[in-house]
Amino acid sequence: MGKDRAKPIRELDLERYRALYGLTAVVLSNFAIVAVAIVGVWRLGGDKSVIIGVLTAAFTAVSTMTTAYLGIKAVSNTAQAMAQGAPRRTPTPPETPTPTPPTPRTPDHSHP
């Protein structure tokens, strides 16, 4: 027993590490985008049209980065649940009575 074996990482722990590091990367990227936007606004010296463009681009980048992470994480969780054979909860449709066919209408010939 001279070999030093690494303790295997459980699948749940691995998923937690992935989520933690992914979220950390997104948060740090968002902070970097905000910092660059602040420096850009500060260096522009008051040109409002350019400041609006910089802030719009920064907001778009932050929201895109966050949305992409959350979307990828949701798809990953769904795929993992399907791969593990987790039972899907599908709503059962309520029982509806069998509709009765409408009665045929006869043409009204009483009007000239």
Side-chain angles (χ1 to χ4, degrees):
M1 294 198 195
K3 289 188 176 184
D4 187 23
R5 295 186 185 195
K7 180 180 168 186
I9 298 176
R10 294 183 318 191
E11 188 68 29
L12 182 60
D13 291 337
L14 182 61
E15 193 60 35
R16 285 183 183 159
Y17 289 137
R18 286 179 184 163
L20 177 65
Y21 290 133
L23 183 61
T24 302
V26 169
V27 169
L28 291 177
S29 297
N30 286 345
F31 279 135
I33 292 168
V34 169
V36 168
I38 289 171
V39 169
V41 168
W42 173 66
R43 297 283 294 168
L44 291 174
D47 187 4
K48 290 182 181 181
S49 62
V50 177
I51 290 173
I52 290 172
V54 168
L55 293 179
T56 302
F59 178 77
T60 302
V62 167
S63 61
T64 302
M65 176 82 68
T66 305
T67 304
Y69 170 74
L70 294 175
I72 291 168
K73 185 67 181 145
V75 169
S76 173
N77 289 347
T78 302
Q80 185 177 11
M82 290 179 72
Q84 291 176 351
R88 295 185 345 184
R89 289 181 270 165
T90 57
T92 57
E95 291 187 28
T96 57
T98 307
T100 57
T103 57
R105 298 178 67 186
T106 58
D108 186 16
H109 297 292
S110 63
H111 297 289

